């Protein structure tokens, strides 16, 4: 006996599974809410099972619905792979990509790449999971993110690490700070001023602590934050100086903040794309991954950064 539902019904189910709302899903598919509800009812009647639990406040997947959702997502991804070669189809398809990244990469990477990606694929929704290096690694390993931007993962057996650039740590200070007039600053010089650092849970903190473990008179923090972006806010407010990855700094024409290269020692980190080995990315995720991969070939080399292959 034939099962009486079609691709539109499956897309409707995926939309409500992602958005947990009939109204939002109907708006995303540009259909009326009654018409959308009929698609879901038709699908459930054809399968003979309830896929969604509905209350006046929320919509959630049943246990059968969760299993069906995984299979439908794979089916639609496979269909995307087939259709991506047809001109114009990719720009009209809906989908979702989840990218995990350490917060310090947001300014340099995400705003530019996602903007270009959205211009080409305006209906693809991008979810950004910004977290610590270890959390980003875990999200990619567990499949919670399609891929990630990180500076750890090179030694993980189940992770593929594709390097994008190598950058050095720089001193961040206000333009009216004494260090702003220097061409470079040593770590012992930095230690003479109120120092702001990220907490010990941060991958950047671990990297710096290891590199400076044998340095006498290394900086000791007066303030600690969870993220580099918060740390820069304190620097901008005049509460102290900080050591940050160069890509976390705003452009050279920023009215308040300036970066000065740090030396003795020079400390660098390698930023790359991470993805789980053996996992095939969805077409939408593969296109975004390719945008990031091609970025180093199109961007110059700001001070403190160099592209790597």
């Amino acid at each position: 006996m034939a099962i009486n539902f079609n691709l539109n019904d499956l897309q409707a189910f995926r939309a409500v599974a992602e958005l947990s709302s009939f109204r939002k899903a109907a708006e995303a598919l540009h259909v009326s809410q009654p018409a959308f509800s009929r698609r879901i009812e038709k699908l459930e009647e054809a399968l003979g099972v309830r896929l969604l639990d509905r209350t006046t406040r929320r919509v959630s997947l049943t246990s059968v619905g969760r299993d069906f959702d995984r299979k439908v997502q794979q089916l639609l991804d496979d269909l995307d792979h087939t259709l991506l070669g047809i001109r114009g189809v990719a720009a009209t398809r809906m989908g979702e990509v989840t990218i995990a990244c350490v917060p310090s990469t947001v300014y340099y990477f995400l705003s530019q790449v996602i903007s270009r990606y959205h211009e080409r694929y305006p209906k693809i929704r991008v979810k950004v999971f910004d977290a610590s290096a270890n959390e980003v690694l875990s999200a990619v390993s567990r499949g919670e993110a399609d891929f990630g931007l990180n500076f750890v993962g090179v030694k993980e057996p189940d992770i593929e690490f594709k390097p994008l650039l190598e950058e050095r740590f720089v001193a961040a200070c206000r333009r009216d700070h004494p260090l702003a007039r220097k061409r470079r600053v040593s770590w012992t010089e930095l230690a003479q001023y109120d120092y702001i650092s990220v907490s010990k849970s941060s991958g950047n903190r671990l990297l710096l602590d290891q590199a400076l473990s044998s340095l006498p008179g290394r900086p000791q923090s007066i303030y600690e934050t969870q993220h580099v972006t918060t740390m820069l806010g304190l620097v901008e407010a005049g509460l102290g100086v900080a050591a940050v990855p160069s890509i976390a700094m705003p452009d050279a024409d920023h009215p308040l903040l300036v970066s000065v290269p740090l030396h003795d020692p020079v400390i660098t980190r390698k930023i790359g794309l991470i993805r789980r080995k053996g996992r095939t990315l969805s077409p939408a995720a593969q296109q975004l991954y390719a945008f990031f991969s091609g970025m180093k070939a199109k961007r110059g080399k700001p001070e403190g950064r160099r592209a790597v292959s």
Side-chain angles (χ1 to χ4, degrees):
M1 182 177 66
I3 298 179
N4 184 27
F5 62 83
N6 57 35
L7 181 61
N8 287 335
D9 302 330
L10 294 178
Q11 290 175 328
F13 172 72
R14 278 294 299 137
V16 76
E18 289 179 3
L19 300 174
S20 300
S21 164
F22 270 52
R23 179 182 59 80
K24 291 179 181 178
E27 290 174 354
L29 294 180
H30 305 290
V31 298
S32 68
Q33 193 164 331
F36 182 88
S37 297
R38 285 194 294 273
R39 290 186 184 182
I40 298 300
E41 290 170 2
K42 176 184 172 185
L43 181 61
E44 289 183 325
E45 288 174 2
L47 295 175
V49 295
R50 179 174 290 279
L51 301 173
L52 300 165
D53 285 326
R54 283 155 279 189
T55 67
T56 55
R57 293 187 176 183
R58 60 172 298 180
V59 178
S60 60
L61 294 171
T62 64
S63 59
V64 174
R66 285 192 295 271
D67 182 59
F68 186 65
D69 180 47
R70 287 191 293 269
K71 294 174 181 176
V72 169
Q73 186 172 2
Q74 182 61 54
L75 179 109
L76 293 178
D77 285 346
D78 290 343
L79 180 61
D80 273 345
H81 277 295
T82 303
L83 297 179
L84 271 175
I86 302 174
R87 185 176 181 181
V89 170
T92 61
R93 287 284 291 125
M94 292 185 61
E96 180 178 287
V97 181
T98 300
I99 176 173
C101 67
V102 287
S104 55
T105 64
V106 171
Y107 182 85
Y108 179 66
F109 285 102
L110 292 186
S111 60
Q112 298 177 55
V113 178
I114 291 179
S115 176
R116 289 174 48 223
Y117 182 78
H118 179 68
E119 288 177 3
R120 187 167 179 182
Y121 306 105
K123 293 189 177 182
I124 304 295
R125 185 169 62 160
V126 179
K127 296 173 67 176
V128 178
F129 174 66
D130 52 326
S132 69
N134 287 331
E135 289 172 323
V136 168
L137 186 63
S138 295
V140 174
S141 295
R142 294 195 299 262
E144 296 170 357
D146 294 291
F147 63 92
L149 281 165
N150 211 344
F151 55 92
V152 300
V154 177
K155 299 179 180 179
E156 299 297 320
D158 62 335
I159 293 293
E160 173 188 315
F161 185 95
K162 180 177 183 178
L164 293 178
L165 64 86
E166 186 171 4
E167 55 162 348
R168 71 187 294 173
F169 279 81
V170 297
C173 61
R174 284 175 56 99
R175 289 188 177 277
D176 57 3
H177 193 277
L179 293 182
R181 297 189 293 271
K182 292 181 171 289
R183 296 188 61 182
R184 60 178 188 165
V185 176
S186 70
W187 288 92
T188 52
E189 285 179 283
L190 195 67
Q192 297 172 20
Y193 300 93
D194 287 346
Y195 181 66
I196 308 166
S197 75
V198 285
S199 69
K200 291 183 178 180
S201 63
S202 165
N204 284 320
R205 174 66 177 271
L206 177 62
L207 190 156
L208 292 178
D209 284 349
Q210 291 175 339
L212 299 174
S213 60
S214 60
L215 181 71
R218 62 181 181 272
Q220 302 296 323
S221 61
I222 299 296
Y223 306 103
E224 284 191 3
T225 69
Q226 293 296 314
H227 300 296
V228 170
T229 48
T230 307
M231 189 166 59
L232 287 175
L234 298 184
V235 173
E236 189 171 336
L239 295 180
V241 297
V244 303
S246 61
I247 62 173
M249 291 296 296
D251 289 337
D253 59 356
H254 191 277
L256 292 177
L257 294 178
V258 65
S259 64
V260 186
L262 281 163
H263 71 107
D264 289 338
V266 172
I267 303 175
T268 64
R269 69 174 191 175
K270 189 173 290 186
I271 294 293
L273 291 164
I274 61 171
R275 57 188 290 183
R276 196 168 63 186
K277 289 181 180 177
R279 183 187 184 188
T280 301
L281 295 177
S282 70
Q286 182 61 54
Q287 289 295 330
L288 183 54
Y289 184 91
F291 270 49
F292 280 99
S293 298
M295 190 178 169
K296 64 181 178 181
K298 296 183 178 182
R299 184 176 176 102
K301 300 177 184 179
E303 183 179 13
R305 311 164 193 157
R306 65 180 182 87
V308 293
S309 56

